[in-house]
Amino acid sequence: NLHKINISDIMSTPHQHRENKKCMFYDVKHSNNSARIRLWLRLNGGLRDHVDTVMLGHDDLDQGQTLAQINPLKKVPALMTDNGLNLYESYVILSYLEDRFGVGSDSSSYLMLDTADDRAFVQLLVRIHDIYISSPNCTQPHFSHTQGCMYLDPVPTKYTPARRTMPDPNVRAAKLKEIYERLRWLEETIKLPYMAGDRITHADITWFPTCIFFEVLLPYVYGWAPIFDRKSNFPRLSQWFELCCGNEHFASVRRDIYDVLVEQKQDGRFDGVREVARNNPALKWVYN
């Protein structure tokens, strides 16, 4: 149910006049925050009768007010419901989809655990990701999420507009340390075989797409040892990551993100960040 639709065409057609009254999910292939929703949809059979996916690119995110009509923050993921309600923020969208289309507790695709303690543990894992890794919690220029230290340029480029640059190497190094400390916390906290125990939960679909960025960019950009190797500093996380990669839906999302990051490596996207690390040897860039 993947549709390459011009977002301008969609936005020029009022919702009440569209023949397609499905929910419209606005995605970017290598967005980790969008990928968790994509993964939820795949785990739930795609929901082709209820949800269409519009796959966007960088140009769609920066072309003015079109996406802003759905999400005034001009970010993905975004969702227009079949009733015309515009939703954004991945946690909100997932909560809506779970509430509206989620399967019952007797299904293998059910992601909610049985007890209040277990559900709270999952929410803790999700919130640590969303607050400390994937969200800047501020829309003003030069505020960025922690994960941005891996790929946001110090100066404007075709990949990094001026408002998203990260010019201060000290800020970048501090964000990198934050990634390491959150990975250490995860290593010590997850239960295995999945993050919250025997079943896939929202913790797994939240962290997995982001971990693909860690897998590709921390070694390439900063020279870390392979992250998800049983001999690494994160053997329990490595065991979890390997298990997830054995699931066809997780594996398909990994291919989505991994392939784009490799293409961007070849295009030189991360060269500016690598140069920052080379030019500031007094700062700590490697955590092995």
Side-chain angles (χ1 to χ4, degrees), residues 12-13 55 60-62 72 77 102 113 132 142 163 171 191 194 200 210 219 223 252 283:
S12 64
T13 304
M55 189 63 74
D60 297 306
L61 299 177
D62 295 318
L113 295 183
Y132 298 105
H142 306 299
R163 70 181 184 278
V171 169
K191 294 182 178 181
Y194 294 103
I200 294 171
T210 303
S252 68
L283 297 175

Side-chain angles (χ1 to χ4, degrees), residues 3-277:
H3 298 263
K4 293 184 178 179
I5 302 172
N6 188 309
I7 188 171
S8 299
D9 293 340
I10 296 172
M11 297 312 302
S12 64
T13 304
H15 179 268
Q16 62 269 28
H17 295 148
R18 290 206 332 258
E19 292 183 5
N20 179 4
K21 286 298 187 74
K22 298 179 184 180
C23 298
M24 304 293 291
F25 164 47
Y26 297 87
D27 191 3
V28 167
K29 191 174 183 181
H30 60 288
S31 164
N32 56 323
N33 289 317
S34 290
R36 66 205 266 191
I37 296 169
R38 192 185 324 145
L39 182 49
W40 186 92
L41 288 169
R42 291 176 184 178
L43 287 167
N44 283 273
L47 297 181
R48 291 176 177 83
D49 292 337
H50 302 288
V51 181
D52 277 343
T53 295
V54 182
M55 189 63 74
L56 307 177
H58 275 287
D59 291 342
D60 297 306
L61 299 177
D62 295 318
Q63 64 174 318
Q65 296 304 309
T66 49
L67 182 58
Q69 293 180 56
I70 304 169
N71 181 356
L73 304 180
K74 292 194 275 189
K75 295 181 179 182
V76 292
L79 183 84
M80 181 190 294
T81 74
D82 53 349
N83 293 315
L85 174 65
N86 295 331
L87 298 175
Y88 37 95
E89 298 299 325
S90 51
Y91 182 86
V92 174
I93 294 171
L94 275 177
S95 296
Y96 172 82
L97 292 173
E98 192 83 65
D99 188 34
R100 177 88 185 273
F101 303 116
V103 296
S105 59
D106 58 341
S107 170
S108 60
S109 299
Y110 189 62
L111 302 186
M112 305 296 289
L113 295 183
D114 298 330
T115 71
D117 282 25
D118 287 341
R119 291 191 295 272
F121 179 69
V122 170
Q123 289 303 311
L124 175 63
L125 294 171
V126 171
R127 291 291 284 170
I128 291 295
H129 173 274
D130 289 354
I131 293 174
Y132 298 105
I133 298 295
S134 71
S135 173
N137 296 315
C138 183
T139 62
Q140 301 309 305
H142 306 299
F143 284 84
S144 65
H145 37 28
T146 297
Q147 68 185 44
C149 73
M150 297 183 289
Y151 54 81
L152 292 178
D153 287 292
V155 297
T157 67
K158 68 177 183 179
Y159 287 109
T160 307
R163 70 181 184 278
R164 299 193 68 207
T165 55
M166 191 182 293
D168 188 339
N170 292 284
V171 169
R172 189 182 299 273
K175 289 180 181 292
L176 187 63
K177 182 179 181 182
E178 182 74 16
I179 288 178
Y180 174 74
E181 291 183 352
R182 298 290 70 74
L183 283 171
R184 290 301 325 159
W185 179 83
L186 272 182
E187 173 70 16
E188 296 163 3
T189 303
I190 61 173
K191 294 182 178 181
L192 295 178
Y194 294 103
M195 282 195 163
D198 293 334
R199 287 163 45 191
I200 294 171
T201 67
H202 284 273
D204 302 291
I205 68 172
T206 295
W207 276 98
F208 183 78
T210 303
C211 283
I212 301 162
F213 279 75
F214 299 157
E215 175 192 17
V216 176
L217 296 184
L218 292 177
Y220 179 72
V221 174
Y222 292 117
W224 292 29
I227 304 298
F228 300 112
D229 183 312
R230 294 291 185 98
K231 298 179 182 178
S232 75
N233 283 338
F234 309 105
R236 300 179 76 246
L237 275 174
S238 299
Q239 181 181 340
W240 163 80
F241 190 76
E242 183 180 324
L243 176 66
C244 290
C245 287
N247 177 292
E248 62 176 322
H249 304 300
F250 282 81
S252 68
V253 165
R254 180 177 177 272
R255 285 193 299 272
D256 291 342
I257 298 173
Y258 188 94
D259 289 350
V260 172
L261 294 178
V262 169
E263 289 173 8
Q264 291 179 348
K265 280 171 55 177
Q266 295 169 348
D267 192 43
R269 171 169 190 181
F270 311 111
D271 291 354
V273 182
R274 299 176 79 194
E275 185 176 358
V276 170

